[in-house]
Amino acid sequence: MPIAFDAASNGTAVATSLTVAHTCTGSNRILYAYVQTNTSTDFAVTATYNGVSMTARTSSFLNSDSNGRQSNFLLVAPATGANNIVFTPNASANMASVNTSYTGAAQSGQPDASGTVSSGIVSGGTQTLTFSSVAANTWRADSAHGAGDLPNASTGFTSRGVEGNSRGGDSNAALAAGSNSLSVTNSGAGTESVSMIGVSIAPAAAIGMNLIPLLGTG
């Protein structure tokens, strides 16, 4: 079955934890969670959904001067219904989160691939995250953060929500195996660091039906 977008959620807090309500539905589910700690201290963050630990996938500094961190997490087969994503840093932090869930995803071997990029770009410039997926018909779930302004969705990037200077989204389409790119543009004035982080999500295997002929006797 093909991958499809399910739901999105977002939230922010300056605290020792951030709780975001998120509702998952459908079959062959996967939940992608993103959080950024916009502070001069490099915080480590853990995440749970409905009390179940999410797997940390990729983490990087938000910009070249190492102020703040962005992290993403995955959970295969998250519980259906309305539950909470809870992010917990190792100390009180300024946090913002945008999260997305999908149906039609493989229930093992996730993510298919992942990547991250951060650099200073000029006003109106484009930041692009490129990495190679292994499987065919993957979807990309990506997040972008601007050091001073909210990045705008650009080539290949469908926005699913914003919180502070962070935007979450995805490819909104199946991608071929190999190198794929999603982009955002810098909406601020002057040179600004824009970072991106993301994963490719493999689809659930198609289930074929073997038709066995009924052999008669006589």
Side-chain angles (χ1 to χ4, degrees), residues 2-204:
I3 295 172
F5 171 73
D6 174 40
S9 60
N10 57 281
T12 187
V14 182
T16 55
S17 68
L18 167 60
T19 298
V20 182
H22 188 100
T23 300
C24 293
T25 62
S27 60
N28 292 313
R29 301 176 303 281
I30 193 168
L31 173 61
Y32 171 86
Y34 167 86
V35 66
Q36 61 89 8
T37 55
N38 192 7
T39 173
S40 59
T41 302
D42 181 17
F43 285 105
V45 182
T46 59
T48 62
Y49 179 70
N50 191 36
V52 178
S53 293
M54 301 187 69
T55 302
R57 300 310 318 179
T58 308
S59 183
S60 72
F61 290 117
L62 289 175
N63 48 54
S64 57
D65 59 6
S66 302
N67 286 335
R69 178 167 288 278
Q70 58 179 355
S71 302
N72 59 16
F73 306 82
L74 281 178
L75 181 62
V76 172
T80 56
N83 299 287
N84 289 330
I85 304 170
V86 180
F87 299 99
T88 306
N90 57 3
S92 182
N94 186 340
M95 295 174 285
S97 170
V98 183
N99 318 289
T100 48
S101 55
Y102 303 88
T103 59
Q107 298 296 282
S108 63
Q110 299 283 13
D112 170 82
S114 61
T116 183
V117 63
S118 179
S119 64
I121 59 176
V122 298
S123 175
T126 299
Q127 180 66 286
T128 299
L129 176 56
T130 301
F131 58 87
S132 293
S133 60
V134 178
N137 300 314
T138 61
W139 273 45
R140 281 273 297 274
D142 281 24
S143 309
H145 177 82
D149 298 277
L150 175 68
N152 293 321
S154 187
T155 306
F157 191 109
T158 295
S159 181
R160 300 299 187 184
V162 300
E163 190 66 66
N165 290 345
S166 295
R167 183 182 296 277
D170 54 50
S171 60
N172 194 35
L175 303 173
S179 180
N180 292 291
S181 301
L182 271 65
S183 300
V184 295
T185 57
N186 182 2
S187 63
T191 302
E192 178 177 300
S193 178
V194 174
S195 58
M196 295 183 70
I197 189 172
V199 300
S200 59
I201 299 171

